[in-house]
Amino acid sequence: MDFSEYTLISLGDSFTFGQDTIPDPKHLPGEDSPTFGRRWKKACNKLSFTNRLTERMEFKYNVNFGIMGGCNENSLTIL
């Protein structure tokens, strides 16, 4: 099946989010907390299984709604 015009949407927990896919992150000199958080989230999501599925199955885009400590109730709320 050709997924090249579809978007993969993922809901889930820390595994979906991509937590622990990168080593313990360090603050860069002069970096504030919001900037650090965005950089860390982007790095985790880039190595998540959701992103790997997107690449392997050739989806056009992916949206990763995985959150650390997530549960089914959180996923339903997001959905």
Side-chain angles (χ1 to χ4, degrees), residues 6-12 16-17 45-46 48-55 59-67 78-79:
Y6 291 91
T7 299
L8 176 66
I9 298 177
S10 303
L11 301 166
T16 306
F17 174 80
N45 282 305
K46 186 176 181 179
S48 69
F49 82 88
T50 298
N51 196 49
R52 302 290 179 171
L53 279 175
T54 301
E55 292 170 355
F59 281 93
K60 188 170 187 175
Y61 303 108
N62 82 55
V63 179
N64 187 343
F65 286 115
I67 55 174
I78 292 169
L79 182 63

